[in-house]
Amino acid sequence: MTRKGESGEAESFSRAAVAVFRLNGRFTATLDRLALAFGLSAARWQILSTVTGESLSVSEVARRVGTTRQSVQRIADLLVRQGLAVYLDNPAHRRAKLLTATEQGIAAKREIDSCLAALARQLCERLGGEDEVHRTAEVLRGLSGALSSIGSDNSV
């Protein structure tokens, strides 16, 4: 038998999960629209952003963005074909090349980031200011961290 408090917690968690999924979809769609003008998608922008200023292996990129190595590999290969990134030799590992942004990739990211800055100003205004956006981001980071710690301690 489920206690009333547990039912309410489950319902709250379910609503939060649906809201986060919906938010992710909207963020992705918005970024896809912005990045398309520069020949990118949200996924390509995310990977390019991760390797701008830092060369990383595909596995390291996958861990940072929270996706599979295979997905990152596919996108990395596309970025390389577009001339937005290159593979470099990895002194720490013979077979795992490092991915890094090219000057063309850095320029594309800079342009998209400029568009994102304008969007951020609009969102801040609609949400009641930068402090409110900061609080929202902190809550989302807290939720992400809690989920990560629960998933790693085998309590679920």
mmCIF file of all heavy atoms in Angstrom, residues 124-148:
data_model
loop_
_atom_site.group_PDB
_atom_site.id
_atom_site.type_symbol
_atom_site.label_atom_id
_atom_site.label_comp_id
_atom_site.label_asym_id
_atom_site.label_seq_id
_atom_site.Cartn_x
_atom_site.Cartn_y
_atom_site.Cartn_z
ATOM 1 N N CYS A 124 15.356 36.475 -19.717
ATOM 2 C CA CYS A 124 15.534 37.122 -18.416
ATOM 3 C C CYS A 124 14.415 38.130 -18.166
ATOM 4 O O CYS A 124 13.849 38.182 -17.066
ATOM 5 C CB CYS A 124 16.886 37.833 -18.340
ATOM 6 S SG CYS A 124 18.248 36.750 -17.912
ATOM 7 N N GLU A 125 14.105 38.892 -19.194
ATOM 8 C CA GLU A 125 13.044 39.887 -19.065
ATOM 9 C C GLU A 125 11.700 39.215 -18.770
ATOM 10 O O GLU A 125 10.963 39.632 -17.878
ATOM 11 C CB GLU A 125 12.957 40.699 -20.361
ATOM 12 C CG GLU A 125 11.977 41.845 -20.306
ATOM 13 C CD GLU A 125 11.982 42.618 -21.611
ATOM 14 O OE1 GLU A 125 13.067 43.097 -22.010
ATOM 15 O OE2 GLU A 125 10.901 42.727 -22.228
ATOM 16 N N ARG A 126 11.392 38.150 -19.480
ATOM 17 C CA ARG A 126 10.109 37.458 -19.283
ATOM 18 C C ARG A 126 10.017 36.738 -17.948
ATOM 19 O O ARG A 126 8.931 36.573 -17.403
ATOM 20 C CB ARG A 126 9.881 36.445 -20.407
ATOM 21 C CG ARG A 126 9.687 37.096 -21.738
ATOM 22 C CD ARG A 126 8.391 36.694 -22.380
ATOM 23 N NE ARG A 126 8.187 37.450 -23.593
ATOM 24 C CZ ARG A 126 8.001 36.918 -24.774
ATOM 25 N NH1 ARG A 126 7.970 35.616 -24.911
ATOM 26 N NH2 ARG A 126 7.818 37.697 -25.825
ATOM 27 N N LEU A 127 11.153 36.282 -17.435
ATOM 28 C CA LEU A 127 11.150 35.525 -16.183
ATOM 29 C C LEU A 127 11.323 36.398 -14.943
ATOM 30 O O LEU A 127 11.304 35.879 -13.836
ATOM 31 C CB LEU A 127 12.243 34.453 -16.212
ATOM 32 C CG LEU A 127 11.984 33.302 -17.178
ATOM 33 C CD1 LEU A 127 13.208 32.411 -17.277
ATOM 34 C CD2 LEU A 127 10.770 32.502 -16.747
ATOM 35 N N GLY A 128 11.519 37.682 -15.132
ATOM 36 C CA GLY A 128 11.616 38.570 -13.977
ATOM 37 C C GLY A 128 13.021 38.964 -13.588
ATOM 38 O O GLY A 128 13.253 39.389 -12.464
ATOM 39 N N GLY A 129 13.951 38.793 -14.479
ATOM 40 C CA GLY A 129 15.312 39.262 -14.225
ATOM 41 C C GLY A 129 16.329 38.147 -14.073
ATOM 42 O O GLY A 129 16.004 36.970 -13.954
ATOM 43 N N GLU A 130 17.580 38.586 -14.053
ATOM 44 C CA GLU A 130 18.702 37.655 -14.004
ATOM 45 C C GLU A 130 18.710 36.829 -12.717
ATOM 46 O O GLU A 130 19.051 35.643 -12.735
ATOM 47 C CB GLU A 130 20.013 38.433 -14.134
ATOM 48 C CG GLU A 130 21.221 37.555 -14.285
ATOM 49 C CD GLU A 130 22.496 38.351 -14.517
ATOM 50 O OE1 GLU A 130 22.432 39.524 -14.919
ATOM 51 O OE2 GLU A 130 23.568 37.772 -14.280
ATOM 52 N N ASP A 131 18.330 37.437 -11.600
ATOM 53 C CA ASP A 131 18.304 36.694 -10.335
ATOM 54 C C ASP A 131 17.347 35.512 -10.402
ATOM 55 O O ASP A 131 17.652 34.418 -9.904
ATOM 56 C CB ASP A 131 17.919 37.595 -9.165
ATOM 57 C CG ASP A 131 19.024 38.558 -8.789
ATOM 58 O OD1 ASP A 131 20.180 38.327 -9.193
ATOM 59 O OD2 ASP A 131 18.725 39.547 -8.088
ATOM 60 N N GLU A 132 16.200 35.699 -11.026
ATOM 61 C CA GLU A 132 15.226 34.615 -11.142
ATOM 62 C C GLU A 132 15.745 33.499 -12.059
ATOM 63 O O GLU A 132 15.570 32.316 -11.771
ATOM 64 C CB GLU A 132 13.888 35.150 -11.662
ATOM 65 C CG GLU A 132 12.767 34.155 -11.598
ATOM 66 C CD GLU A 132 12.471 33.653 -10.192
ATOM 67 O OE1 GLU A 132 12.626 34.400 -9.215
ATOM 68 O OE2 GLU A 132 12.085 32.472 -10.087
ATOM 69 N N VAL A 133 16.408 33.873 -13.133
ATOM 70 C CA VAL A 133 16.995 32.879 -14.030
ATOM 71 C C VAL A 133 18.094 32.113 -13.286
ATOM 72 O O VAL A 133 18.197 30.887 -13.397
ATOM 73 C CB VAL A 133 17.542 33.527 -15.315
ATOM 74 C CG1 VAL A 133 18.308 32.527 -16.169
ATOM 75 C CG2 VAL A 133 16.410 34.153 -16.117
ATOM 76 N N HIS A 134 18.882 32.823 -12.499
ATOM 77 C CA HIS A 134 19.939 32.174 -11.717
ATOM 78 C C HIS A 134 19.343 31.169 -10.729
ATOM 79 O O HIS A 134 19.834 30.046 -10.605
ATOM 80 C CB HIS A 134 20.767 33.233 -10.980
ATOM 81 C CG HIS A 134 21.872 32.655 -10.156
ATOM 82 N ND1 HIS A 134 23.018 32.127 -10.698
ATOM 83 C CD2 HIS A 134 21.984 32.495 -8.824
ATOM 84 C CE1 HIS A 134 23.793 31.675 -9.743
ATOM 85 N NE2 HIS A 134 23.187 31.885 -8.585
ATOM 86 N N ARG A 135 18.287 31.558 -10.028
ATOM 87 C CA ARG A 135 17.632 30.642 -9.076
ATOM 88 C C ARG A 135 17.077 29.414 -9.793
ATOM 89 O O ARG A 135 17.214 28.290 -9.311
ATOM 90 C CB ARG A 135 16.506 31.358 -8.326
ATOM 91 C CG ARG A 135 16.986 32.164 -7.141
ATOM 92 C CD ARG A 135 15.821 32.633 -6.270
ATOM 93 N NE ARG A 135 14.991 33.634 -6.917
ATOM 94 C CZ ARG A 135 15.279 34.931 -6.986
ATOM 95 N NH1 ARG A 135 16.381 35.390 -6.430
ATOM 96 N NH2 ARG A 135 14.470 35.763 -7.596
ATOM 97 N N THR A 136 16.484 29.625 -10.950
ATOM 98 C CA THR A 136 15.944 28.507 -11.730
ATOM 99 C C THR A 136 17.065 27.550 -12.131
ATOM 100 O O THR A 136 16.922 26.329 -12.009
ATOM 101 C CB THR A 136 15.212 29.033 -12.983
ATOM 102 O OG1 THR A 136 14.153 29.895 -12.561
ATOM 103 C CG2 THR A 136 14.657 27.898 -13.827
ATOM 104 N N ALA A 137 18.177 28.099 -12.594
ATOM 105 C CA ALA A 137 19.313 27.272 -12.993
ATOM 106 C C ALA A 137 19.848 26.477 -11.803
ATOM 107 O O ALA A 137 20.203 25.299 -11.940
ATOM 108 C CB ALA A 137 20.414 28.137 -13.603
ATOM 109 N N GLU A 138 19.893 27.098 -10.635
ATOM 110 C CA GLU A 138 20.371 26.402 -9.435
ATOM 111 C C GLU A 138 19.456 25.238 -9.070
ATOM 112 O O GLU A 138 19.926 24.157 -8.697
ATOM 113 C CB GLU A 138 20.492 27.375 -8.252
ATOM 114 C CG GLU A 138 21.648 28.339 -8.372
ATOM 115 C CD GLU A 138 22.996 27.637 -8.461
ATOM 116 O OE1 GLU A 138 23.255 26.712 -7.670
ATOM 117 O OE2 GLU A 138 23.784 28.005 -9.351
ATOM 118 N N VAL A 139 18.145 25.440 -9.180
ATOM 119 C CA VAL A 139 17.200 24.358 -8.887
ATOM 120 C C VAL A 139 17.405 23.212 -9.872
ATOM 121 O O VAL A 139 17.440 22.038 -9.473
ATOM 122 C CB VAL A 139 15.739 24.874 -8.930
ATOM 123 C CG1 VAL A 139 14.745 23.724 -8.926
ATOM 124 C CG2 VAL A 139 15.470 25.810 -7.755
ATOM 125 N N LEU A 140 17.565 23.526 -11.149
ATOM 126 C CA LEU A 140 17.771 22.487 -12.158
ATOM 127 C C LEU A 140 19.089 21.751 -11.927
ATOM 128 O O LEU A 140 19.156 20.520 -12.052
ATOM 129 C CB LEU A 140 17.719 23.077 -13.563
ATOM 130 C CG LEU A 140 16.345 23.581 -14.003
ATOM 131 C CD1 LEU A 140 16.453 24.350 -15.318
ATOM 132 C CD2 LEU A 140 15.358 22.438 -14.125
ATOM 133 N N ARG A 141 20.153 22.482 -11.573
ATOM 134 C CA ARG A 141 21.435 21.828 -11.265
ATOM 135 C C ARG A 141 21.294 20.925 -10.040
ATOM 136 O O ARG A 141 21.851 19.827 -9.996
ATOM 137 C CB ARG A 141 22.527 22.870 -11.023
ATOM 138 C CG ARG A 141 23.259 23.279 -12.290
ATOM 139 C CD ARG A 141 24.534 24.041 -11.979
ATOM 140 N NE ARG A 141 24.302 25.377 -11.473
ATOM 141 C CZ ARG A 141 24.039 26.433 -12.237
ATOM 142 N NH1 ARG A 141 23.965 26.307 -13.532
ATOM 143 N NH2 ARG A 141 23.843 27.612 -11.699
ATOM 144 N N GLY A 142 20.548 21.404 -9.041
ATOM 145 C CA GLY A 142 20.321 20.588 -7.846
ATOM 146 C C GLY A 142 19.577 19.306 -8.167
ATOM 147 O O GLY A 142 19.934 18.227 -7.685
ATOM 148 N N LEU A 143 18.551 19.411 -8.997
ATOM 149 C CA LEU A 143 17.789 18.232 -9.419
ATOM 150 C C LEU A 143 18.687 17.270 -10.187
ATOM 151 O O LEU A 143 18.691 16.057 -9.942
ATOM 152 C CB LEU A 143 16.589 18.651 -10.267
ATOM 153 C CG LEU A 143 15.726 17.533 -10.846
ATOM 154 C CD1 LEU A 143 15.148 16.652 -9.748
ATOM 155 C CD2 LEU A 143 14.613 18.123 -11.694
ATOM 156 N N SER A 144 19.492 17.794 -11.089
ATOM 157 C CA SER A 144 20.399 16.961 -11.869
ATOM 158 C C SER A 144 21.408 16.261 -10.961
ATOM 159 O O SER A 144 21.666 15.064 -11.098
ATOM 160 C CB SER A 144 21.127 17.818 -12.907
ATOM 161 O OG SER A 144 22.012 17.043 -13.653
ATOM 162 N N GLY A 145 21.974 16.996 -10.023
ATOM 163 C CA GLY A 145 22.938 16.411 -9.092
ATOM 164 C C GLY A 145 22.314 15.336 -8.219
ATOM 165 O O GLY A 145 22.923 14.285 -7.979
ATOM 166 N N ALA A 146 21.082 15.585 -7.743
ATOM 167 C CA ALA A 146 20.388 14.599 -6.910
ATOM 168 C C ALA A 146 20.121 13.324 -7.704
ATOM 169 O O ALA A 146 20.351 12.215 -7.215
ATOM 170 C CB ALA A 146 19.090 15.186 -6.368
ATOM 171 N N LEU A 147 19.658 13.478 -8.934
ATOM 172 C CA LEU A 147 19.408 12.306 -9.775
ATOM 173 C C LEU A 147 20.695 11.537 -10.047
ATOM 174 O O LEU A 147 20.719 10.313 -10.035
ATOM 175 C CB LEU A 147 18.752 12.714 -11.094
ATOM 176 C CG LEU A 147 17.273 13.045 -11.027
ATOM 177 C CD1 LEU A 147 16.815 13.674 -12.329
ATOM 178 C CD2 LEU A 147 16.454 11.810 -10.714
ATOM 179 N N SER A 148 21.764 12.268 -10.289
ATOM 180 C CA SER A 148 23.053 11.636 -10.554
ATOM 181 C C SER A 148 23.532 10.850 -9.342
ATOM 182 O O SER A 148 24.004 9.718 -9.471
ATOM 183 C CB SER A 148 24.072 12.705 -10.932
ATOM 184 O OG SER A 148 25.321 12.126 -11.170
#
